[in-house]
Amino acid sequence: MLRKGILLGLACVMLMGLVVFAQEPVTIEFWHSMSSGHQPYLVDLVNKFMEEYPYITVNLTYQGGYGDTEDKVEASVVAGTPPTMVQLYENVITPLVEVLYPIGPHMTQAEKDDILDGLVPNNTFDGVLVSVPWNKSIMVLYYRSDLIATPPTTWEEFAIMAADLTVDVDGDGVIDRYGTGLRPYNPELFLNYLIQNGGTILNDDWSAVTIGDQKGVEAMQYAESLVPSSYISSGYLSDAVGQDLVAMFVDTSAGYYYNHKAAVDNGFELACARVPAGPVNNSSAIQGTNLVVFDMGQTQAQKDAAVLLARFLIRPENTVAWSLRGGYLPVVKSAYENQDWLDFLADNPDYVVMSEAMIDGFAQILHPNYGLMRGAIGSAFEEVILAASSAVDAMANLVLDLTDLLEY
Amino acid sequence: MRRKLRIPDHWKYRTFWLESGQAYLYLFPAFLILAVFTFYPFFSAFRLSLYKWSAIHPPGTYVGLGNYAKIFADRHFWNAVWNTFYYVAISVPVTLFLALLVANLLNKPLRMRAFARTSFFLAYITPLVAVAMVWSWMYDWRYGVLNYLLGFLGIDLINWLMDPKFAMLAVIIMSVWRFVGYQAIILLAGLQNIDQMYYDAAKVDGASPFRTWWHVTIPLLTPQIFFVFIMSMIGSFKVFTEIYVLFSGQPGPLKSAETLVYYILRIGRFDGNLLGRAAAASIFLFAVIFAFTLIQLFFTQRKVHYQ
């Protein structure tokens, strides 16, 4: 009996030792770009994570805007001392894949299947889920519900309604309110038109530029046709809404707070709808960053801890908490059935639209030069919107610019 | 017959070596700072311009002059070159001319002269970002004070920040306003150093005020004019912040205000990661500034008069 007790005691001690060994303290660096507005919510989530995994300490460090963070990450990679975890855009991830620790192979199949379909390709490199989506927003149609009873659902309806709503109220020859508003440099808006028309930027293996084909030209011509009914401003269109200058416009869901506030503060009503559908679909652009884990001098314990944090942050309840407080949209399917999210939708019908759009949205391509390609697309769009070039000519020049950027 | 090598006499003295050593010792910190923050980055940029950049395997793949060929074939690069020259060609002489007028004015026995000098200088010491933001409001198409004032002259509304024809002009106007006071103060210092005897002599000779200004003031002010001209030209070739703030992080409508520095930052930092091409454009900009400075040195030094 005594011998059994001693053996049991020894076994318990060994087991405890194993547990202690498995939970050896580990510290990871998490670089992010969430400024004062969003930072408290991220801190709360990370604190919750550290409560659940008390042996992990997360040093959360704000690195400035996305561009600043990218610069610092690049400098740290050159120095061979990158942080354990960072939030980055897809095209920034592509040239770094070689030194990243893929998160996907350390997730359960159920977790991987739960990620929104539109967000899987832009986190997958050579068939492996390397990163996971994090703070995401989507483009939707904002419309003055005090002027528009039923929002347009197709390109044609949108164009007709925009023309009808462009009015010179006092008859002085100056348009007082435009049917829609356009920011000249708006690559995502053009990409909406392109994808909705069945077009693509590049072919599958990135060996050729396809944006200049018939579908691309038609997409640009559609944008061109909207110019006479558009208030054109380089600033955010929330200002124009507040000044009663536009009746409807397409913008990111991340701008919801500002657009809504500008309208309400000036006595107008603003609502959201899906972007009008093109000939092929009504998919719209998803924007935002993803989480990556570095494998460049990090210990196995650090990489494991970072993977745990990434998995934790995209759990349904956490992506919902992040979205509710941070203004983004959940990145996993099950989050859209989460009771907190459903309760939120019941009180905020505009977010129903955003949720629906998110399910079938499209994300950016992974080409390392996508940043410059995006810039070139924005410039071509700008040339057309400012009537400096025809849609056909702008697309021809765009093809030349993108061809120069194919090589990486 | 071979000449025999002769050691200079002063090399034989210990004091020469001590004094020289001391001088180099004093120069060493400045040289170190220059070496680390100026010479090394310059040579590093030149080396980088010959590579296709890779952060993982820096500096990347050697491409020779490939980056130069790429930027020379890029229409946006030439657009940036044109915009930069346009900015320099207008802003430098206009600022200098206005600064000369202001300096002459401030040199007169005016009431509240100290206040006027401070006011002109205030534009220069105010943070550029704040200045650019205020100007962006003044340039506002519908509500800006500039269009309001132009309205009194019967001039139609100008969309300063959205019309490609006026975007660079908007940058130039703001820039001229900002630097006139600074240049005027430097020129004023020069004016006050001109000996009164030259003016007395001109008066005795019966010279008119304009002839005195043209034949006495201007020649004796050439050291300051030359300094201001060179420095403002170098600064103007590197214009960036004004554009970045005035156009909310964009290079103006249709890239109408994209200068070379903006182009370098856009392809190497804002939109992309083509550091090799960005370095090649930087070397090009250096060569342009260097060439222009040499030309200025050559032509203007002949005209500089010292008292």
Side-chain angles (χ1 to χ4, degrees), chain A residues 67-68 71 74 77-78 95-96 98-99 184-185 232 234 245 369 371-372 375 379 382-383 386 388 397 401 404 407-408, chain B residues 52-53 55-58 70 74-76 141-143 162 164 250 252-255 266-267 269 271-275 277:
Chain A
D68 297 323
D71 282 352
E74 183 145 5
V77 168
V78 174
L96 299 174
E98 197 183 314
V99 290
Y185 182 86
I232 294 169
S234 59
L245 288 169
N369 287 342
L372 281 161
S379 295
E382 187 182 30
E383 283 172 24
L386 295 181
N397 281 331
D401 286 347
D404 179 46
E407 192 190 329
Y408 59 93
Chain B
K52 191 158 82 179
W53 168 252
I56 298 174
H57 308 290
K70 286 275 186 191
D74 182 359
R75 66 193 169 102
H76 301 298
W141 178 43
R142 282 175 178 253
Y143 308 109
M162 282 294 292
Q250 294 296 318
L254 301 173
K255 294 192 173 70
R266 183 170 65 78
I267 64 168
R269 154 83 171 74
D271 286 358
N273 197 21
L274 304 177
L275 291 188
R277 288 194 204 181

Side-chain angles (χ1 to χ4, degrees), chain B residues 163-241:
Chain B
D163 189 334
K165 290 197 295 289
F166 291 99
M168 187 51 101
L169 199 60
V171 180
I172 290 171
I173 292 171
M174 186 184 86
S175 185
V176 168
W177 171 84
R178 184 162 182 261
F179 285 104
V180 159
Y182 167 71
Q183 294 188 7
I185 294 294
I186 293 174
L187 296 174
L188 182 62
L191 279 175
Q192 289 174 343
N193 270 338
I194 297 175
D195 202 316
Q196 185 58 34
M197 70 172 182
Y198 296 109
Y199 293 111
D200 293 341
K203 212 174 196 175
V204 169
D205 290 345
S208 67
F210 177 75
R211 286 180 75 87
T212 307
W213 185 75
W214 185 249
H215 290 290
V216 176
T217 307
I218 293 293
L220 293 176
L221 201 57
T222 44
Q224 286 76 24
I225 293 174
F226 176 61
F227 169 77
V228 163
F229 192 52
I230 293 256
M231 296 313 286
S232 79
M233 197 207 65
I234 292 173
S236 297
F237 268 115
K238 297 191 290 185
V239 62
F240 166 73
T241 317

Side-chain angles (χ1 to χ4, degrees), chain A residues 52 72 80 92-93 169 182 188 201 246 290 318 376 382-383 388:
Chain A
E52 193 172 319
K72 290 173 187 176
V92 183
I93 297 174
V169 179
L182 288 173
E188 277 69 35
I201 302 172
V246 294
N290 314 283
N318 293 332
E382 187 182 30
E383 283 172 24

Side-chain angles (χ1 to χ4, degrees), chain A residues 260-295:
Chain A
H260 196 257
K261 187 176 186 306
V264 171
D265 284 355
N266 290 285
F268 312 129
E269 290 169 20
L270 196 73
C272 288
R274 293 290 300 269
V275 292
V280 175
N281 61 44
N282 67 341
S283 188
S284 57
I286 299 175
Q287 292 162 285
T289 65
N290 314 283
L291 299 172
V292 297
V293 176
F294 271 97
D295 187 7

Side-chain angles (χ1 to χ4, degrees), chain A residues 27-211:
Chain A
T27 301
I28 59 171
E29 291 287 328
F30 179 10
W31 288 6
H32 67 91
S33 303
M34 299 288 104
S35 56
S36 55
H38 291 93
Q39 208 172 103
Y41 313 137
L42 181 58
V43 169
D44 286 350
L45 276 174
V46 168
N47 285 340
K48 198 173 142 195
F49 171 77
M50 289 194 288
E51 278 170 26
E52 193 172 319
Y53 298 95
Y55 65 98
I56 300 175
T57 303
V58 182
N59 286 337
L60 205 54
T61 321
Y62 174 64
Q63 296 291 348
Y66 294 127
D68 297 323
T69 305
E70 287 165 15
D71 282 352
K72 290 173 187 176
V73 165
E74 183 145 5
S76 70
V77 168
V78 174
T81 55
T84 328
M85 191 163 157
V86 192
Q87 63 171 134
L88 291 174
Y89 276 105
E90 295 86 331
N91 59 299
V92 183
I93 297 174
T94 309
L96 299 174
V97 165
E98 197 183 314
V99 290
L100 294 180
Y101 186 68
I103 299 172
H106 308 283
M107 295 168 71
T108 65
Q109 193 56 44
E111 283 174 326
K112 284 191 273 190
D113 291 344
D114 201 22
I115 294 174
L116 291 179
D117 294 340
L119 298 173
V120 174
N122 62 316
N123 284 287
T124 303
F125 298 79
D126 287 331
V128 179
L129 188 75
V130 171
S131 49
V132 291
W134 167 230
N135 61 327
K136 296 291 177 181
S137 56
I138 189 137
M139 294 187 90
V140 288
L141 173 71
Y142 291 87
Y143 67 97
R144 284 267 303 273
S145 47
D146 53 327
L147 295 172
I148 301 166
T150 310
T153 56
T154 63
W155 282 11
E156 291 74 22
E157 283 179 22
F158 183 87
I160 292 167
M161 201 176 274
D164 289 347
L165 288 164
T166 301
V167 287
D168 172 11
V169 179
D170 51 16
D172 65 352
V174 177
I175 304 290
D176 296 299
R177 188 195 306 118
Y178 290 84
T180 188
L182 288 173
R183 298 182 72 192
Y185 182 86
N186 195 343
E188 277 69 35
L189 184 57
F190 174 71
L191 289 176
N192 274 5
Y193 297 142
L194 180 74
I195 304 297
Q196 288 162 8
N197 200 34
T200 52
I201 302 172
L202 307 176
N203 63 353
D204 288 342
D205 63 0
W206 299 345
S207 61
V209 176
T210 52
I211 202 168

Side-chain angles (χ1 to χ4, degrees), chain A residues 17-29:
Chain A
L18 274 176
V19 169
V20 169
F21 178 74
Q23 295 191 338
E24 200 172 319
V26 57
T27 301
I28 59 171
E29 291 287 328

